[in-house]
Amino acid sequence: MTEILRVRGNRPARGKILQAAEVIRKGGLVAFPTETVYGLGASAFNPGAIRRIFEVKGRPRDNPLIVHVADPDRVETLASSFPARAKALACAFWPGPLTIVLKKRDSVPPEATGWGPTVAVRMPAHAVALSLIESAGVPLVAPSANLSGRPSPVIAGHVEEDLAGLIEMILDGGRTTIGMESTVVDFSGRVPRILRPGAVTAEDMEAVIGDAVVPGVDETGPAVPKSPGTKYRHYAPQAKLVLFAPENYREEISGFLAGHRMKNRKIAVIAFKKRHIYRDCLNIYAGCEPLAVAGRLFQIFRSLDALKVDLILAEPYLKEGGLAGMVKDRLLKAAGGKAGLRDEGLIF
C-alpha cells in the first residue's frame, strides 16, 4: 500500500519529511514534488533501490537517472571534475530547472548512470524536495514519477494513477510550477551541449558563461545516453499523437476529420496558436506562451487518456526560440519523433 502525505507550503511539516526520509534510508521509494515534475526518489548510493526504480517504472536500464542534491558542494562527491563554466551555471541557476552532466566518480553506482561514464546532477527549487534530500542525508536519484513513456506527473494524483501500490510513499506538494522536465546541459565533452531543452535556455546559459552552448547529442561520442529524454519515446498519451507541419495544417486536419467522421472513433485536436473549432471532434486549446503550454500539456494528455480518446491530432507549435524549444521537444518525443499523417498506418 502506498502512503500519501500532504506537504504543502514553503515550510513542509518536519515530521512528514522525516518519515519520508526514513523510507529512503531503508531502501524504499518516495515520490516527491519539484518545480518541474514529480520525481521518484531513492538513495543515489543504493544500487538495489535504484534497480527497483527501473522495475517499477518499466524503464530501460540504459536510460540514465538525474541525481538531485540539496547543496552544490555535494557535486564534488558525485563528479570527478566540476569545470569552471559548469560551476558558473550552477551558481546562476541552482536551485532551479537545470541539470548538468559531468564525468562521474566511481562511487556513483552504474545503475544510476545507465552504465555510462557520466552523471547528471541538479539542485531542485522546491522546499519539499530540498528538505527531503537534506533529511535523507544522501543525494537522491529521481526520474519522473510515472510509468516509463507516460506523460510526466504534475500533480500527486498523476503519480497515484501510475504507481499506487508499487511504491512506499507519495508526498503531495500540490501542482508543480513549470510542468516540464529540466534543461540538461552536458559538460563532459569539449563544448557544452544541450541534451534536453527546458526552462533554462541556451541564451540564458550563454549570457552567464560567454560561450556558445551547442544543441543536440554529440554523434561522435559514446552510444550510451548521458541524459534521460534523448533515446526513447517519452511523455506520450495512450492514444496515438500525430503532429502537423506548419504548411496547410488546418486544411490537412479538416480533410482528415471529414474522411473519418462516420467511423465512431473519438478524435481530439490540440491547438496552440488560437482557439479553432474543428467539427465532430474534441477541441482543446493548450495556450500559446511556452510556460503556459508547459504547465498544461501533460495534464491535457492525461485528461484525454481518461476520456479514452482514440487519436490526438496536434496543430504545429509555431512559437520560435527560447522556451519554445522545450515545448516542441516534448511534443516530438510524445509523437515518437515523427510529424504528419504519412506512413502512420491510421486505419479507422
Side-chain angles (χ1 to χ4, degrees):
M1 180 177 178
T2 300
E3 186 173 7
I4 302 174
L5 302 181
R6 193 170 185 268
V7 283
R8 305 289 178 91
N10 292 327
R11 293 185 172 224
R14 183 68 178 160
K16 294 177 180 179
I17 295 296
L18 290 175
Q19 189 177 342
E22 183 63 18
V23 171
I24 295 288
R25 284 193 291 270
K26 290 180 177 179
L29 307 184
V30 176
F32 62 92
T34 76
E35 78 281 21
T36 56
V37 300
Y38 273 73
L40 180 57
S43 168
F45 296 116
N46 185 329
I50 296 171
R51 287 193 294 271
R52 194 166 150 235
I53 281 181
F54 285 90
E55 292 165 3
V56 164
K57 284 176 59 69
R59 184 183 179 95
R61 299 284 175 158
D62 65 345
N63 196 5
L65 307 178
I66 293 173
V67 181
H68 293 63
V69 298
D71 185 335
D73 290 341
R74 269 290 199 171
V75 175
E76 306 288 354
T77 69
L78 302 165
S80 60
S81 65
F82 197 3
R85 290 179 300 172
K87 283 185 179 179
L89 292 182
C91 288
F93 299 111
W94 283 5
L98 178 68
T99 295
I100 301 175
V101 174
L102 303 163
K103 293 178 180 178
K104 82 177 190 74
R105 287 190 181 276
D106 291 341
S107 58
V108 179
E111 288 89 345
T113 65
W115 276 263
T118 60
V119 61
V121 188
R122 93 173 182 100
M123 180 179 177
H126 197 289
V128 172
L130 293 174
S131 182
L132 176 61
I133 298 166
E134 289 170 351
S135 298
V138 290
L140 302 183
V141 292
S144 56
N146 57 294
L147 295 175
S148 187
R150 294 272 289 130
S152 298
V154 298
I155 59 173
H158 295 162
V159 182
E160 190 176 3
E161 284 175 11
D162 283 9
L163 303 181
L166 300 176
I167 64 176
E168 282 75 17
M169 184 176 290
I170 299 171
L171 296 179
D172 180 359
R175 179 176 290 274
T176 64
T177 54
I178 295 176
M180 285 186 179
E181 299 78 3
S182 61
T183 303
V184 179
V185 60
D186 179 15
F187 271 91
S188 67
R190 292 184 299 106
V191 296
R193 289 180 176 272
I194 294 181
L195 303 183
R196 181 177 70 186
V200 177
T201 67
E203 294 84 355
D204 294 333
M205 289 185 276
E206 289 166 356
V208 172
I209 65 175
D211 292 325
V213 181
V214 180
V217 176
D218 182 3
E219 300 295 343
T220 65
V224 177
K226 297 179 180 181
S227 165
T230 61
K231 183 175 181 180
Y232 297 97
R233 185 172 183 248
H234 285 74
Y235 326 119
Q238 291 171 354
K240 188 172 191 63
L241 173 68
V242 177
L243 307 182
F244 283 78
E247 298 79 18
N248 305 315
Y249 64 89
R250 285 183 179 163
E251 290 81 357
E252 285 193 32
I253 293 174
S254 296
F256 177 85
L257 293 171
H260 296 85
R261 280 180 190 144
M262 305 305 293
K263 302 298 184 181
N264 297 317
R265 294 293 188 268
K266 192 179 292 186
I267 301 175
V269 180
I270 301 176
F272 299 103
K273 186 175 182 181
K274 62 180 181 180
R275 297 181 188 277
H276 186 77
I277 303 300
Y278 296 93
R279 291 180 56 196
D280 299 332
C281 68
L282 184 60
N283 290 273
I284 307 291
Y285 178 61
C288 179
E289 293 306 316
L291 284 178
V293 178
R296 296 171 187 155
L297 188 63
F298 294 151
Q299 175 79 59
I300 289 171
F301 285 168
R302 285 184 175 267
S303 296
L304 293 177
D305 284 346
L307 292 172
K308 300 190 182 304
V309 167
D310 297 292
L311 177 67
I312 303 170
L313 308 180
E315 291 186 351
Y317 186 67
L318 298 174
K319 283 275 186 177
E320 295 293 340
L323 294 170
M326 169 176 63
V327 174
K328 291 181 178 181
D329 174 79
R330 303 313 190 270
L331 283 167
L332 191 61
K333 291 291 196 318
K338 295 187 290 185
L341 287 170
R342 184 177 298 175
D343 299 326
E344 290 292 339
L346 299 174
I347 303 173
F348 282 82

